[in-house]
Amino acid sequence: MRLEPVANPSALRRAGLPAAALLATIAVASGLAAVAGADPLATLGLIVKGAVGSKFAALETLNRATPLIFTGLAVAVAFRARLWNIGAEAQLYAGAIVTVLLGTGAVGGPLVLPLMALAAMAAGAVVLLGPVVLKTRFGVDEVVTTLLFNFIMLLFVSYLLEGPLKDPMGMGWPKSAPLAKEARLPRIVDGLRLHWGFALALIAAVAVWVIERRTALGYEMRAVGLNARAARFAGIPVDSVLVKTALLSGGLAALAGFSEVAGLKGHLTLDLSPGFGYTGIIVAMLALLNPLAVVPAALFVAGVFVGADSMSRAAGVPTYIADMLLATSLLFMVLAILLIRFRVVRG
Amino acid sequence: MIDPVVLRLSGITKRFGSLLANAGISLSLHRGEVVALLGENGAGKTTLMNILFGHYVADEGTVEVFGQPLPPGHPRAALAAGVGMVHQHFTLADNLTVLENILLGTAPLWRLSLGRRAARARIEALSRDFGLAVHPDARVGTLSVGERQRVEILKALYRDARILILDEPTAVLTPQETEALFRTLKLAVAKGLSIIFISHKLHEVMGVADRCVVLRHGRVVGEVATAETDRHRLAALMVGEEIMPPAVAPPKPGPVLLRLDRVTTPSQGSATGLRGVSLDLRAGTITGLAGVSGNGQAALSDLVSGLVRPEEGRLELAGAEVVRWTPRTAVASGIARIPEDRHSTGTIADFTLTENAILEGYRSRFAKGGWMDWRAARAFADGIIATYDVRCPGPETRIRLLSGGNMQKLILGRVLEPGPRIILANQPVRGLDIGAITYVHSRLLKARDEGAAVILISEDLDEIMSLSDTVHVMSEGRLSPGFARGTMSQAELGLWMAGHGFADAA
């Protein structure tokens, strides 16, 4: 068997293969459910119902998608310039720390929310700046440095929550003091559990798309990502473009932390992010690094998580099926993308 | 001709949008025959070969190999029928040995043993029979270009190819390697193989081919036995008119625009740096730098391009020493740079023509306050396509799909349109066909006559001597004195190229 390129993939190929990937994912998920002793069709039905079956479920999915849009954008924008930022998790927590620092009474007034958001972005940007300067100055691989920063940051948060940021009224739990009321992101509609962080995420997706397609910086980022040598020769300051990309990427990831703390949780704990930074890589890859496609990709991933949680309670199938579902969906999607451009031939 | 037809292309037509790449092309190849496929870049040679190999499906027409029609769109079909192709850009894995490269793809996916012993014996036999000397256990990354090409040919022969298609095989070879290749081809033909030889080097075509098929604008415009024609008539067929050597008016030297004053630059890896090079470039002249590749031409090119700064000595632009010398300041100082490698340095393959056209000027001319002006960019690209005759489906095509000559025309347009005062042309016509070469040369001469200072770096002495008002020779990072047009013979320059005559020569 061998792969042969397809010169001009047909519309059927472009649309049919991702659809087939989705069906294959469902087939695998059904098999897993059967192994766990549940009725496959009922299990899938429960996942869908749990993700979008009610107003409550759908809002929960939107809430869960919000940080994933931010981290997905952070990864997509960095990967576009071939900056392998695996550290969105660390940048998310940096944003969360600053949000708590400013939101628990340090500043007040009507501008406290924009101020917190900007400060969070700055913190996330600074966290990614270190690895990028190491890369541009000394050629240190940013995959390693950004990945390791995730662990450093998590331990740092742990220290803060046991020490300086520990809530004196928290009955000894490792959590921060709650944000002041004016430092909380309001709900979009009264009575519905969806906060303005989601709207901010949508705006961010459009903004990143505009930056990539319409600005000189976006042009530079794409040029550096596609061929850094030609970009350098043409006079594009490659190192400076990488630094700017890092600032943008780190800032976007930090907004996930800001939005989770100020919009949803109200305080900082060590389990603020169940791996949103890493899942953002899946989201970005599913979206083929297209900032607008990050939104549906994040909704899909969030839906699977939320739906699987709910299904697990109803059907007694472990929630790990959500991880399996995402992993298989990503693998099948990557395969589908490959098969759009290549066909398998026996011989 | 009594030998049977082994390959027959009948009425092949292929359109890409509004571009007619192949228009009813018919071509037959007999057993034991070498047919040269001639044509400018963009004439449709590559498209035709891609159809033969099933990468494209023809809109009309059929392909027959040994009398059997080939199903369209199945790349394996041509290979299975005994057609082997040697591409201009090799498709070898550097980290594998010659043996492994040849076996790659021949063994079934699900078998553990590669059958190396039998394979080695066969490869050694093929090497012997066809005069393709190369060691089966050598790592491909360590081989010279000529040796890699032999591996490619062995690969095709190992797959029982009876028909060999060679795409510009001599573009990357030294004269000695070319000689060896031709001996191999003669052996192959004597053994009953048939060969299609794609080229634009006419003297080679005359030397090796039995018959020539000339393509222009997607049509067959001529089919002649080489014995019954000559270079001039072939060239005229290719470009559609008689070609004249460039008529060079006497130069009108102006002031010194660029001066190197005892410049030394560090060596980078195996690339020689400059050793105390002094050079004056005057407006209205072409300065040619001859020399064997790797003697500091790359360093000088990098210096003028802004990629490298002098370690010692001064680089002066219009009498003032340069400060903060970068590619961007070089462009801003009015230097047009035509890089040696148009694929990896001059263009970004997955960018469109528009995006490539503005690669140097996007900040200063196609962006306002950080926002791209895509309308202006598109108009600029359209202008280059029209003025420089870039053959392409449109400005939104990815440049990867263009031939080398059309890529070079786009680069030419990109750097010449702003009206540069200094032009650095590093191997500007390497790998191009006659039409494109003539075009590039006429553009450089026109720029000179309009008062630009041109530096021409080339390994082709004929090119250097016919264009340059002053010739320097580079050897081991040193620069010879300048010789005015016509004062030196090829042989005398050859002595300088070998390192004789330099003041500090050992």
Side-chain angles (χ1 to χ4, degrees), chain B residues 160-172:
Chain B
D160 295 320
R162 304 294 300 157
I163 300 170
L164 273 183
I165 296 171
L166 303 164
D167 188 6
E168 313 254 349
T170 60
V172 289

Side-chain angles (χ1 to χ4, degrees), chain A residues 1-2 4-8 210-211 213-217 219-220 222-224 226-227 229-237 241 244 341 343 345-347, chain B residues 55-56 73 75-76 105-106 109-110 305 307 327-328 331 337 339 341 343-348 350-351 355-356 358-360 362-363 367 370-372 374:
Chain A
M1 288 193 297
R2 59 182 69 231
E4 278 162 3
V6 178
N8 288 310
V210 168
I211 288 171
R213 289 279 136 196
R214 294 272 176 264
T215 69
L217 175 63
Y219 174 78
E220 292 171 330
R222 289 186 292 126
V224 168
L226 286 172
N227 184 345
R229 180 192 164 99
R232 195 183 301 271
F233 178 82
I236 295 176
V241 169
K244 287 176 192 164
R341 295 182 55 204
R343 74 174 127 238
V345 180
R346 285 188 62 91
Chain B
H55 297 307
Y56 295 151
R76 288 287 295 158
T106 60
L109 194 59
W110 305 114
S305 298
L307 292 167
R328 188 170 277 188
V331 171
R337 303 152 321 140
D341 185 340
H343 295 277
S344 72
T345 315
T347 58
I348 294 179
D350 283 314
F351 262 10
E355 288 168 324
N356 272 297
I358 61 169
L359 214 42
E360 289 180 349
Y362 70 99
R363 275 259 175 214
W371 294 91
M372 295 301 294
W374 284 115

Side-chain angles (χ1 to χ4, degrees), chain B residues 34-37 45 49 53 83-88 90 149-150 152-154 156 163-170 181-182 184-186 188 194-200 208:
Chain B
V34 180
V35 167
L37 194 56
K45 296 172 307 210
M49 291 304 119
F53 275 89
V83 187
M85 175 126 186
V86 176
H87 290 274
Q88 194 178 357
F90 302 141
Q149 187 176 63
R150 280 177 232 153
E152 285 280 8
I153 296 174
L154 276 175
I163 300 170
L164 273 183
I165 296 171
L166 303 164
D167 188 6
E168 313 254 349
T170 60
L181 172 70
F182 287 172
T184 296
L185 297 187
K186 295 221 161 74
S194 310
I195 293 165
I196 293 183
F197 184 91
I198 303 175
S199 179
H200 8 45
V208 78

Side-chain angles (χ1 to χ4, degrees), chain A residues 124-145:
Chain A
V126 167
V127 167
L128 188 49
L129 205 55
V132 167
V133 169
L134 284 176
K135 174 191 167 81
T136 53
R137 283 287 159 83
F138 306 111
V140 181
D141 189 343
E142 76 275 21
V143 172
V144 176
T145 47

